[in-house]
């Protein structure tokens, strides 16, 4: 069974800082990996999807990388803003999607 | 309406009630999903439908009964639930099973 771990569980940074969120998974035979953000009490918003054949994807200030061999993905957020405050979830596409528990990010003005 | 919608947004029910959650997607997708999100636990996949056929049933108790009458609608019928079933129930859809998933806002369910 696939296990997905996200570190740290919570992160608080001042506005403007660059930051990295980590996601690791136990079985490298994945077909894709997806990063989401979730605002309190709401559904998930898809940020980036990386296919297993890709190494990274970029969207605006976000960059996600994938290293299948080591079972890791990182989400890099440049020049963080208070509006980035949310819980960030990674989901690994295996025989189905497996989710991590998330990293709760707080960006202080 | 655009994207994925869910009704109701909040539901409180007793253990002997029968209720249904509704999900509708306006994206022309062929796959739909039910997830359960409990406090301090990872999102748990419950059911997957592809082209209106159930392709995944993730060992969910029979008190949860899904229904997919067409590719745009998905229901979750609830009966004789337990307090530990209280959670946020999320619906999602994707073009195909391995594609990017788009989520609805969820139904916050409280079982008394």
């Amino acid at each position: 069974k696939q296990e997905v771990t996200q570190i740290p569980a919570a992160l608080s940074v001042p506005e403007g800082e660059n930051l990295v969120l980590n996601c690791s998974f136990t079985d490298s035979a994945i077909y894709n990996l997806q990063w989401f953000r979730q605002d309190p009490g709401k559904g998930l918003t898809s940020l980036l999807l990386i296919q297993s054949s890709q190494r990274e994807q970029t969207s605006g200030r976000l960059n996600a990388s994938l290293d299948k061999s080591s079972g890791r993905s990182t989400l890099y957020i440049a020049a963080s803003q208070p509006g980035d405050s949310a819980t960030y979830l990674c989901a690994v596409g295996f025989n189905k999607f497996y989710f991590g528990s998330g990293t709760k990010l707080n960006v202080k003005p | 309406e655009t994207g994925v919608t869910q009704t109701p947004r909040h539901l409180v029910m007793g253990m002997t009630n029968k209720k249904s959650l509704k999900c509708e997607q306006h994206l022309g997708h062929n796959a739909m999903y039910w997830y359960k999100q409990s406090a301090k636990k990872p999102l748990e996949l419950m059911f997957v439908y592809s082209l209106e056929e159930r392709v995944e049933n993730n060992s969910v108790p029979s008190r949860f009964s899904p229904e997919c009458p067409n590719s745009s609608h998905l229901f979750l019928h609830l009966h004789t639930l337990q307090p530990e079933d209280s959670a946020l129930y999320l619906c999602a859809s994707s073009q195909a099973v391995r594609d990017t998933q788009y989520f609805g806002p969820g139904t916050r369910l409280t079982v008394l």
Side-chain angles (χ1 to χ4, degrees):
Chain A
K1 182 188 171 187
Q2 180 75 264
E3 291 187 9
V4 182
T5 304
Q6 290 188 247
I7 294 173
L11 182 63
S12 184
V13 300
E15 181 177 4
E17 194 161 296
N18 301 325
L19 56 100
V20 175
L21 307 181
N22 297 292
C23 173
S24 62
F25 45 95
T26 54
D27 192 323
S28 62
I30 66 171
Y31 52 77
N32 61 31
L33 185 144
Q34 194 165 1
W35 282 94
F36 295 88
R37 70 173 277 168
Q38 185 175 27
D39 294 284
K42 300 202 175 167
L44 279 64
T45 301
S46 177
L47 298 173
L48 292 163
L49 181 142
I50 311 176
Q51 300 292 350
S52 63
S53 58
Q54 297 174 318
R55 299 280 294 184
E56 64 178 334
Q57 282 285 339
T58 298
S59 176
R61 295 182 293 109
L62 305 180
N63 176 276
S65 67
L66 174 63
D67 184 343
K68 275 180 53 178
S69 60
S70 66
R72 293 172 190 258
S73 176
T74 60
L75 179 66
Y76 175 82
I77 302 177
S80 58
Q81 302 171 358
D84 295 330
S85 298
T87 297
Y88 289 80
L89 298 162
C90 74
V92 170
F94 189 50
N95 52 346
K96 60 185 182 185
F97 273 104
Y98 290 85
F99 281 79
S101 297
T103 293
K104 187 173 183 179
L105 173 65
N106 178 35
V107 181
K108 298 173 288 187
Chain B
E1 290 271 22
T2 59
V4 182
T5 58
Q6 291 187 241
T7 54
R9 294 294 310 277
H10 301 272
L11 178 63
V12 179
M13 59 187 290
M15 292 168 61
T16 58
N17 291 158
K18 288 186 179 182
K19 295 287 184 183
S20 296
L21 309 184
K22 178 182 176 182
C23 176
E24 185 172 0
Q25 58 96 1
H26 309 268
L27 301 168
H29 289 167
N30 293 315
M32 296 187 76
Y33 312 77
W34 279 117
Y35 287 90
K36 176 183 178 182
Q37 188 174 38
S38 305
K40 304 192 180 190
K41 290 177 67 175
L43 214 61
E44 301 171 65
L45 180 66
M46 301 176 71
F47 300 104
V48 181
Y49 277 81
S50 178
L51 297 172
E52 301 148 48
E53 288 195 18
R54 192 190 307 180
V55 296
E56 180 83 31
N57 178 350
N58 200 27
S59 302
V60 178
S62 60
R63 58 186 183 269
F64 295 92
S65 175
E67 179 190 1
C68 187
N70 55 61
S71 60
S72 298
H73 294 85
L74 185 64
F75 294 90
L76 188 63
H77 304 299
L78 316 171
H79 64 98
T80 59
L81 294 192
Q82 305 297 313
E84 59 265 28
D85 296 323
S86 298
L88 181 67
Y89 288 84
L90 292 162
C91 174
S93 72
S94 62
Q95 183 59 49
V97 170
R98 292 187 171 192
D99 290 338
T100 301
Q101 294 185 36
Y102 296 85
F103 282 77
T107 295
R108 173 67 63 184
L109 173 68
T110 303
V111 181
L112 302 176

